[in-house]
Amino acid sequence: MYAEIIIPLALPKNYTWAIPTEMSEGVMIGMRVEVMLGSNKRYAGIIKRIVNEKPASFNPKPILGVLDDEPIVFQAQLDLWEWMANYYMCTEGEVMQAAIPSHLKISSESVFILNEESHIDGQQLTDTEYIISEALQIKKQLSLVEIQKLLDKKSVYPVINKLIQKGICSVLETMHDKYTIKFENVLHLHPHYKSEAELEKLMNDWSRAPKQLALLLSFLHLQKTEGHVQQKALLEKSGASSAQLKALVDKGIIVIEKRKVDRLAVDLSLGNRNLHQLSPQQQLAFNSITEQMNTHSVNLLHGITGSGKTQIYAALIEKAIQANQQALYMLPEIALTAQMIRRLKQYFGGKIAIYHSKFNPNERVEIWNKVKSGEVKIVLGARSALFLPYKNLSLIIVDEEHDPSYKQQDPAPRYQARDTAIYYANKLGAKIVLGSATPSIETFYNAMQNKFGYYHLNERFSEGALPKMTIVDTKKQSDQSAILTPYLLEAIQATVANNKQVILFQNKRGYAPYIICETCGWIPHCKQCDVSLTLHKAKHLLSCHYCGATYPVVHTCEACGKQSFKQKSFGTEQIEEKLAKALPHIRIARMDLDNVKGKNEHDQLIQLFEQKQIDVLVGTQMVAKGLDFENVDLVGIVDADSLLNFNQYRVNERAFQMMEQVSGRAGRKNDQGRVIVQLSQTNHPVIEFVKDHDYLSFYQFEINNRKHFAYPPFSRLMSILFKHKENQLAEEAANHFLKSLDPLIQKTVIGPAQPIINRIRNKYIWELCIKISKQPQQLQIAKKQLLHFIHLISVHPRYKSVQIIIDIDPN
Ligand code: ADP
Ligand code: ZN
Ligand code: ZN
């Protein structure tokens, strides 16, 4: 027998290995096996197919070992991977790379590290496992080759895999924080005192150390109420010191057990709070969506900001888990998951788990397993949560479905997670609900074509109106250089005086997006990219927002030698500074990529704001999305022009969505909020729609544009990038490629052209954009040609070093 195996690499196709007879009993599709690639590379690959015929053209090498006792992925997942590889024109290996947690991937390059806090119990290890764990204790980390030497055999994956499962070692990942298993101290009464009589005797004998007695009583109380006593909880509750506890341990009254903390374990008592009663409007929406699910697998819930979509999602999820099925709740960004999990945990307690790429590898493996076993019923997560091994998924919610972050840009697979979720739901027979206050044009079009079910919830839960919009014309200001107009400043002051909160939105971080020599006009650029450098004042440096490179602040012009730099435009850092100067008594915080790192910092800031310890939150799009604050009365869009000046066919859509979404943070409870938009292009058509919160008219306007220029949803776009250190070579390759395309397809190509940013990380970029008709055959033909020519270029003597990147349905 032979097996087609997916290796987590960008190989052009899957290869086949022979299944040795002694293994043939144990192997199943979806299991991991160890295979050799080339002469010395070893990988843990996943069996995709098992066949009887030997490949005609070559002699397959044997599989070296089987890692799993049962499949780690289901057939449906493998089908999804295959579809993604075909549709997004990448390899199944790349999809696998993105889809499974790193601890389930092992390769020759892997380094294995000791889990410092793990408990090694020799009794529970086989001899080989013991040898490795001993070596790990001495050396802390081992490479695959070292392990092979230690055991004097080549096939060591199964042993490593067992050690990972037993929590003794993990795969070193430079990208993530080093993982350590968490332990907690759980306290027990010494068995001797389990009998009432002995316990009573103990208490009566107690003459000295009343504090220890008090501690013991607290312990007994906790044990009775909680079932088990955590050291931390006991000390907190009793106010006793660790020394006092130690005394009880030393006397042999209390025994400490080190127990592995199950990171997913949550206080189940938190959950089960009844779901909010749906308002009559919400109930109508819920009923309608549920009914339309009978005829449509995809439904769009179009509910204005603050209409309470989350409540409806929660009710839909409740229904799914009542039927003993699983539900997936997708959010576009990790940043949003923290607030949402706090909201949803109230209802669902321990039935819900978060999953996203910022979790450490072991946490991810734990969730992986619990989703597979069905123990976790609800998953809240970003894109990658789609790849979990759901046992019986019946509902997918794609919240903020319009959000561009659903598209993965780099690396491959460059997939649109919303679209992929639609495909997957159909495949599984699950239902999918897309939700947004500002649906993407494509989604709304599909709803209008009756391809998707649709419900419009047009009232806020609070029954308050949407916020009142005021446009401040920056052209008419007496002080043109002021970033915050007097009107906006006054409104901020009045709002804060009224004990309400403010959000100020600006989509650029840093202090000044560029600096310029006033004498000659020279602008400092990144050495590796065609990008002007942003000034970060507090950090005192210039930084490239494309490659992350930083430079010292320049004072002398490299072109003319003068020292006359001027700062241009402004980012969040400068707004924060100017505001603090203008209104020194208010409490300001900033939320952008420079200021919040990691999921915790972000959430801490949100919680501070929720607790009203901050008056004004200044931020980038991080503050615009999906968050629910009840006390925000005023939103300021500081520089709306910057949202309108993009050379991109989606510019109107993005600008409308961004302004409507950030406006939607105002006045979510009770009073009507207000939004102040600072803007110079006051005649821009999008502004009219924003002013009236008029999505439907905006859609009409925009769909006509799309039709006129044959942009999606009336066509499909594919972008092909050619990247090379030499500009000319990249351009030539793009032209060569274009000329070799079928004349019919050639006609639909825009380019080759240089994108606005035409060099990133020292590589010049040329782009071809193909606009194909919506007929599926057309797409297939185009893709086939593309694959063919990509292959030709990859072996072309002159162009083979040109990097080609294909992006299907680009953002
Ligand atoms: P959306 O996501 O549609 O913008 P949310 O789901 O965040 O709106 O709801 C807005 C606010 O209204 C939230 O604070 C939410 O708790 C509250 N809310 C919505 N529906 C209900 C309900 N049925 N009962 C109580 N509070 C609700
Ligand atoms: Zn100069
Ligand atoms: Zn750069």
Side-chain angles (χ1 to χ4, degrees):
M1 286 201 300
Y2 302 89
E4 180 185 333
I5 290 167
I6 309 174
I7 307 289
L9 290 178
L11 300 173
K13 65 187 210 46
N14 297 327
Y15 296 122
T16 299
W17 277 265
I19 305 173
T21 347
E22 70 272 17
M23 289 180 200
S24 58
E25 288 279 292
V27 293
M28 283 164 79
I29 289 173
M31 280 185 183
R32 286 171 307 156
V33 289
E34 177 184 358
V35 292
M36 182 101 100
L37 193 67
S39 54
N40 60 355
K41 297 270 187 210
R42 284 156 181 267
Y43 292 93
I46 290 184
I47 299 182
K48 179 181 170 184
R49 209 171 271 137
I50 297 178
V51 292
N52 283 319
E53 311 80 58
K54 180 169 166 287
S57 54
F58 70 104
N59 228 344
K61 286 191 237 164
I63 287 172
L64 301 173
V66 183
L67 270 67
D68 300 306
D69 303 331
E70 54 178 275
I72 62 155
V73 293
F74 295 119
Q75 181 67 49
Q77 289 173 278
L78 294 172
D79 295 345
L80 173 69
W81 297 3
E82 182 177 276
W83 177 83
M84 285 177 73
N86 279 330
Y87 187 83
Y88 291 107
M89 297 183 78
C90 62
T91 71
E92 283 172 77
E94 286 168 313
V95 180
M96 172 179 170
Q97 216 20 304
I100 69 174
S102 57
H103 271 36
L104 299 177
K105 291 177 274 197
I106 309 175
S107 74
S108 316
E109 290 81 36
S110 302
V111 172
F112 305 94
I113 52 171
L114 176 72
N115 280 335
E116 296 282 354
E117 291 175 55
S118 66
H119 262 337
I120 296 175
D121 177 359
Q123 301 280 311
Q124 289 178 12
L125 300 181
T126 65
D127 290 349
T128 39
E129 288 166 10
Y130 192 71
I131 294 173
I132 305 299
S133 73
E134 274 212 324
L136 274 173
Q137 285 184 55
I138 296 161
K139 295 190 68 178
K140 303 298 179 214
Q141 68 175 49
L142 294 170
S143 71
L144 191 78
V145 177
E146 286 172 315
I147 295 177
Q148 286 170 337
K149 275 201 196 126
L150 273 170
L151 299 183
D152 194 24
K153 62 176 184 180
K154 290 279 177 214
S155 176
V156 297
Y157 280 26
V159 183
I160 296 170
N161 191 48
K162 279 283 179 305
L163 287 172
I164 292 176
Q165 279 173 6
K166 291 180 180 174
I168 290 170
C169 85
S170 21
V171 183
L172 177 70
E173 265 196 309
T174 40
M175 284 123 63
H176 292 94
D177 312 334
K178 201 179 126 210
Y179 167 74
T180 48
I181 293 187
K182 285 190 196 134
F183 284 91
E184 65 182 4
N185 285 344
V186 178
L187 310 179
H188 306 279
L189 199 59
H190 190 281
H192 181 69
Y193 299 107
K194 289 266 152 76
S195 89
E196 290 278 328
E198 286 298 330
L199 188 60
E200 214 176 303
K201 212 165 114 209
L202 173 69
M203 304 284 217
N204 290 336
D205 286 351
W206 216 296
S207 50
R208 281 176 298 168
K211 289 217 174 115
Q212 286 174 24
L213 179 61
L215 179 57
L216 183 62
L217 290 173
S218 296
F219 168 86
L220 292 171
H221 179 70
L222 264 181
Q223 191 174 48
K224 203 165 159 200
T225 51
E226 307 277 313
H228 81 288
V229 183
Q230 283 169 281
Q231 175 173 328
K232 209 169 131 236
L234 176 63
L235 293 181
E236 265 166 28
K237 211 162 180 151
S238 64
S241 67
S242 343
Q244 284 153 2
L245 176 61
K246 189 166 175 295
L248 291 185
V249 174
D250 292 346
K251 284 182 183 159
I253 298 168
I254 283 182
V255 186
I256 298 184
E257 178 207 355
K258 242 188 159 85
R259 191 188 283 178
K260 192 175 147 204
V261 179
D262 187 347
R263 268 164 242 82
L264 292 171
V266 271
D267 189 358
L268 282 168
S269 61
L270 263 179
N272 300 332
R273 212 172 87 181
N274 286 336
L275 283 177
H276 283 308
Q277 186 102 46
L278 295 181
S279 70
Q281 286 76 16
Q282 289 170 340
Q283 189 65 49
L284 286 176
F286 174 84
N287 294 347
S288 166
I289 297 275
T290 328
E291 200 183 305
Q292 291 185 71
M293 279 177 172
N294 295 326
T295 47
H296 292 82
S297 58
V298 188
N299 281 280
L300 169 62
L301 173 59
H302 178 198
I304 60 172
T305 56
S307 57
K309 294 186 285 298
T310 317
Q311 306 298 326
I312 299 171
Y313 302 145
L316 290 164
I317 292 171
E318 178 66 29
K319 193 164 166 256
I321 60 174
Q322 289 289 339
N324 211 14
Q325 312 253 281
Q326 290 172 309
L328 163 63
Y329 187 139
M330 290 183 33
L331 279 164
E333 290 205 47
I334 295 169
L336 292 173
T337 50
Q339 194 188 46
M340 193 53 87
I341 196 80
R342 269 184 274 125
R343 290 175 73 180
L344 293 180
K345 273 232 166 104
Q346 294 177 0
Y347 315 132
F348 300 120
K351 299 193 196 92
I352 187 165
I354 297 196
Y355 185 83
H356 55 59
S357 58
K358 286 280 152 60
F359 273 17
N360 77 42
N362 276 52
E363 284 175 315
R364 278 191 278 161
V365 173
E366 276 178 35
I367 300 176
W368 183 278
N369 291 332
K370 292 193 172 177
V371 169
K372 188 154 165 267
S373 71
E375 188 179 332
V376 162
K377 296 277 177 232
I378 313 163
V379 176
L380 175 71
R383 291 194 295 263
S384 59
L386 197 56
F387 296 125
L388 286 166
Y390 295 96
K391 193 174 170 215
N392 50 11
L393 184 66
S394 74
L395 174 69
I396 303 179
I397 301 224
V398 183
D399 196 3
E400 312 290 353
E401 67 81 28
H402 63 276
D403 198 294
S405 305
Y406 276 119
K407 179 76 201 261
Q408 169 151 319
Q409 301 286 6
D410 244 343
R414 297 180 175 79
Y415 66 108
Q416 212 317 341
R418 173 200 59 212
D419 299 347
T420 307
I422 291 175
Y423 168 83
Y424 198 37
N426 272 324
K427 165 110 203 139
L428 297 176
K431 302 296 174 190
I432 180 163
V433 175
L434 313 179
S436 175
T438 53
S440 67
I441 297 290
E442 289 95 324
T443 296
F444 199 81
Y445 178 78
N446 282 330
M448 293 302 102
Q449 301 292 308
N450 199 26
K451 242 177 96 180
F452 297 171
Y454 176 75
Y455 192 85
H456 192 190
L457 183 56
N458 207 11
E459 264 176 59
R460 280 195 152 180
F461 169 73
S462 61
E463 292 174 12
L466 284 168
K468 182 168 172 297
M469 311 289 288
T470 310
I471 309 287
V472 175
D473 188 341
T474 50
K475 297 190 300 296
K476 293 186 181 149
Q477 300 299 307
S478 53
D479 178 4
Q480 291 281 330
S481 67
I483 290 171
L484 301 165
T485 57
Y487 187 84
L488 179 55
L489 277 176
E490 266 163 44
I492 294 172
Q493 185 154 31
T495 308
V496 174
N498 205 10
N499 275 325
K500 296 285 184 177
Q501 291 168 295
V502 181
I503 288 178
L504 289 184
F505 168 72
Q506 161 68 341
N507 221 9
K508 288 181 186 138
R509 61 196 169 90
Y511 193 83
Y514 65 104
I515 59 174
I516 183 167
C517 168
E518 280 201 294
T519 313
C520 74
W522 182 74
I523 295 173
H525 275 67
C526 178
K527 299 218 176 349
Q528 311 181 60
C529 316
D530 170 38
V531 173
S532 66
L533 295 172
T534 299
L535 173 67
H536 291 254
K537 197 170 166 185
K539 291 186 189 151
H540 208 74
L541 46 82
L542 296 173
S543 116
C544 169
H545 287 183
Y546 278 78
C547 72
T550 56
Y551 303 82
V553 177
V554 228
H555 299 284
T556 309
C557 176
E558 279 181 23
C560 72
K562 294 264 161 43
Q563 298 201 333
S564 56
F565 278 103
K566 199 173 171 197
Q567 295 157 5
K568 284 287 185 180
S569 187
F570 55 90
T572 43
E573 189 186 4
Q574 189 167 166
I575 295 178
E576 186 189 16
E577 185 197 273
K578 296 274 153 72
L579 183 62
K581 233 177 237 162
L583 305 172
H585 56 282
I586 63 176
R587 298 165 301 175
I588 307 168
R590 174 157 57 90
M591 186 150 95
D592 57 30
L593 275 180
D594 299 312
N595 221 26
V596 293
K597 303 219 167 53
K599 54 183 186 190
N600 292 335
E601 267 184 301
H602 181 268
D603 193 42
Q604 276 160 15
L605 196 53
I606 287 178
Q607 293 196 43
L608 281 181
F609 196 58
E610 280 174 347
Q611 294 153 10
K612 309 188 178 92
Q613 300 190 41
I614 297 167
D615 299 314
V616 181
L617 190 60
V618 180
T620 53
Q621 49 170 328
M622 272 185 176
V623 298
K625 292 183 177 178
L627 295 168
D628 183 40
F629 301 114
E630 57 177 35
N631 198 43
V632 173
D633 234 16
L634 172 67
V635 165
I637 300 178
V638 184
D639 179 17
D641 295 287
S642 69
L643 296 171
L644 298 167
N645 302 334
F646 279 107
N647 180 17
Q648 214 245 17
Y649 82 95
R650 284 193 213 267
V651 56
N652 288 336
E653 179 181 353
R654 293 277 186 261
F656 180 86
Q657 284 162 348
M658 194 58 98
M659 287 192 251
E660 189 60 28
Q661 288 291 341
V662 67
S663 303
R665 301 314 112 205
R668 290 170 74 81
K669 284 261 168 83
N670 317 320
D671 314 328
Q672 186 185 19
R674 54 191 299 220
V675 179
I676 295 176
V677 184
Q678 299 191 145
L679 170 78
S680 74
Q681 302 164 64
T682 43
N683 291 328
H684 197 289
V686 169
I687 296 299
E688 281 310 305
F689 306 120
V690 171
K691 240 174 23 197
D692 300 335
H693 304 288
D694 188 356
Y695 177 85
L696 297 180
S697 304
F698 167 71
Y699 170 78
Q700 277 312 330
F701 164 82
E702 186 59 19
I703 199 78
N704 288 336
N705 286 338
R706 300 281 176 95
K707 195 164 195 173
H708 188 78
F709 296 105
Y711 272 119
F714 302 99
S715 65
R716 229 178 247 292
L717 299 185
M718 299 164 82
S719 149
I720 308 166
L721 299 182
F722 299 80
K723 291 190 175 183
H724 201 273
K725 282 204 297 283
E726 286 171 49
N727 193 21
Q728 196 193 344
L729 215 57
E731 182 182 5
E732 270 180 35
N735 274 309
H736 179 78
F737 194 91
L738 176 63
K739 282 200 210 96
S740 19
L741 287 175
D742 182 302
L744 270 177
I745 295 182
Q746 264 188 44
K747 269 199 269 176
T748 68
V749 174
I750 309 168
Q754 288 191 292
I756 303 177
I757 311 275
N758 65 34
R759 187 174 56 113
I760 293 177
R761 290 197 169 87
N762 275 330
K763 286 198 173 154
Y764 287 91
I765 308 167
W766 284 82
E767 179 178 22
L768 293 177
C769 184
I770 307 183
K771 230 192 236 177
I772 333 171
S773 87
K774 283 288 271 233
Q775 290 141 352
Q777 306 100 300
Q778 275 265 7
L779 185 68
Q780 282 314 322
I781 295 169
K783 282 185 178 171
K784 232 175 150 173
Q785 283 209 2
L786 287 188
L787 284 177
H788 181 59
F789 292 119
I790 283 166
H791 173 70
L792 289 186
I793 286 218
S794 70
V795 296
H796 191 281
R798 187 165 162 76
Y799 305 127
K800 63 179 174 217
S801 59
V802 176
Q803 185 191 359
I804 300 178
I805 291 173
I806 302 188
D807 191 355
I808 310 289
D809 304 334
N811 260 347

